[in-house]
Amino acid sequence: MASSSIPPPKAVLFDRDGTLVRDVPYNGDPRLVAPMPLAREVLDGLRGKGIATGVVSNQSGIARGLLSRSQVDSVNGRIEALLGPFDVWEICPHGTEDGCGCRKPAPGMILSACRRLGIRAAEAAYIGDIGSDMEAAEAAGSRGILVPTPLTRHQEVEAAAEVAADLSAAVALLLGLAPAGNRQ
């Protein structure tokens, strides 16, 4: 039984690079995909509980001409081969200067993923590794949990409402298996 009074989410959305898989800047090569520790186990656990999973990822390399959408799709296919199927994918191909409503920290991709899943944004959680991930979750009205990496800035960690040491700890927070607000 969950120890938290917060109900578990109906969906858990994840940032891709640095959260589900090792961050390889502008990766267009599926052979370079390496899952983060415990990623498969965490995702399988969520799926086993009937909780939808999704990926929400900025891919500005497309706008910059460093990657094609086909390359991004190939990398995403490899991620699914390694980590199992996701219920929804949202990819922003725009650059920072494009001013779109989907690029994090804007909430567009999270809101779109929730619409596609048939849930309210408040019924979803978003796990990411940088401040713009947490800003997007907050702007969408979703619960955000930061899982820092060595590249996460100290200010981003301090600003996050909830911080977990790894994906397993983040999901434990979401499922009420760890104290809410736990800054592991």
Side-chain angles (χ1 to χ4, degrees):
M1 179 171 204
S3 63
S4 172
S5 62
I6 301 170
K10 291 185 177 180
V12 180
L13 307 173
F14 295 86
D15 173 54
R16 192 186 88 171
D17 304 315
T19 302
L20 285 177
V21 298
R22 301 264 181 221
D23 188 4
V24 176
Y26 308 112
N27 183 20
D29 185 349
R31 296 171 299 177
L32 299 179
V33 172
M36 294 298 273
L38 303 173
R40 179 67 191 231
E41 294 82 357
V42 164
L43 290 162
D44 285 347
L46 289 168
R47 292 176 186 123
K49 292 182 182 316
I51 297 172
T53 60
V55 180
V56 173
S57 181
N58 287 345
Q59 292 297 318
S60 67
I62 297 170
R64 296 175 187 194
L66 302 172
L67 294 167
S68 68
R69 179 61 195 238
S70 175
Q71 287 174 302
V72 170
D73 290 344
S74 292
V75 168
N76 293 345
R78 178 67 177 151
I79 291 168
E80 282 212 339
L82 294 170
L83 299 179
F86 291 91
D87 297 290
V88 65
W89 283 84
E90 288 286 336
I91 303 298
C92 173
H94 305 109
T96 307
E97 63 286 347
D98 292 334
C100 67
C102 55
R103 183 176 172 75
K104 297 176 292 180
M109 287 189 289
I110 293 175
L111 295 172
S112 177
C114 290
R115 274 191 304 274
R116 291 174 59 203
L117 291 169
I119 63 172
R120 294 177 296 112
E123 296 174 308
Y126 187 57
I127 298 174
D129 66 320
I130 60 175
S132 66
D133 295 327
M134 299 303 96
E135 292 171 38
E138 183 177 357
S142 297
R143 185 174 176 189
I145 298 181
L146 183 73
V147 177
T149 69
L151 299 177
T152 309
R153 295 188 334 252
H154 176 72
Q155 302 91 313
E156 294 172 320
V157 176
E158 290 301 313
E162 293 184 276
V163 179
D166 57 30
L167 288 173
S168 182
V171 170
L173 284 172
L174 292 174
L175 299 180
L177 304 174
N182 192 10
R183 298 183 69 80
Q184 299 185 12

